[in-house]
Amino acid sequence: MDETPSYSLLGLVDDLNVKLGDSRVDKTEIARVEAYLKTTFGRPNIELRAQPKKADMAEVFINDEFIATLYRDVEDGETSYQFQMAILEMDLPDA
């Protein structure tokens, strides 16, 4: 069976220090993280959308194309965000 390898790009976006009582992502928080990603990546067309079935997750889109997930994590009173993007080998340009 021929499996196409995939690559995962993980990064922590922990510059935002939002203190909430649970790991739920609210609209204000989504707007703050979205603004951070737009500035950091220089892409004004990045959009975060809350994932209705997972309270601690948002989906990341560029021009309405899904590109990644963003997870909120609260541990020991510290909030961090994990940006997770999978890149399929078939999507890479030829060498």
Side-chain angles (χ1 to χ4, degrees), residues 3 46 52 60-61 67-68 72-73 83:
E3 289 189 34
I46 288 179
V60 184
F61 291 81
I67 63 156
R72 181 178 194 274
D73 182 45
F83 180 88

Side-chain angles (χ1 to χ4, degrees), residues 19-40:
K19 305 281 187 198
L20 297 177
D22 61 20
S23 58
R24 189 168 301 275
V25 181
D26 67 19
K27 289 180 182 183
T28 302
E29 192 171 15
I30 285 177
R32 292 182 69 208
V33 175
E34 182 178 278
Y36 175 85
L37 293 174
K38 287 177 178 184
T39 301
T40 300

